[in-house]
Amino acid sequence: MKKQLRIGYISIGDSNDANTWSGTTYYFAKNLERFVELERISLENNFFIKLIFKYYSLKSKILKKRYMGNRSKLVSKYYSKKAKEAISRISNIDAIISIGTIPIAYLDVDIPIINYTDATFNQMINYYEEFSNLSDQTIKNGNELEKKALEKCDLLFYCSDWARNSAIRDYQIDPSKVYSVPFGLNMDEVPDKADVLKSVEEKIHINRCNLVFVGKDFVTIHSDSSM
């Protein structure tokens, strides 16, 4: 009988909680468990790390530039240390999958490391509000940690070619280990294909299209159908 792979699944926040990263962390783990033996390593912040975040928040307000605590080397080292401690308590792990690069920049293990996320740090600069007006220190630390983590990985998965190309172009990562693999649906039950097609067919002749966006963190754009 073929041995089932045992994978260590690293995430910041509880991977059993569907609210973590808007459900992506939870549903990706849930689907992985259909094919591998999954050992969840959910990293939480202790009192000291929370103080560091408060320090950077206060520094941002005083200096009028955004300082990101989670892009500091001290915080990244903390996550990597906690991840390694958890890995050492689990026997016969074949590989590590991390959701995002922050926990693995300083992770020193002798098993393959895989990263899966939606973008590189460089792409996020000035792309979202929380990545705008960044301090030079944050940009420098963020790019250094990103490159360190990407070089450490044996495989890199991104949900788009846009992100994959950034890893190769902005961080000089070997293209042979970088893949574009779209995220799946964050749904407990996937609708039957026939039902979906029937619903589309019933509405295809309607002049107005009403869209409902369901999520935790996005900007809604209201469009006038007459435009």
Side-chain angles (χ1 to χ4, degrees), residues 75-86:
V75 170
S76 182
K77 287 179 179 179
Y78 165 80
Y79 287 136
S80 293
K81 178 176 180 291
K82 289 299 180 182
K84 186 173 182 177
E85 289 174 355

Side-chain angles (χ1 to χ4, degrees), residues 206-221:
I206 298 176
N207 292 328
R208 183 183 179 89
C209 179
N210 297 314
L211 300 178
V212 178
F213 290 89
V214 180
K216 289 189 64 180
D217 184 17
F218 61 84
V219 177
T220 56
I221 300 175

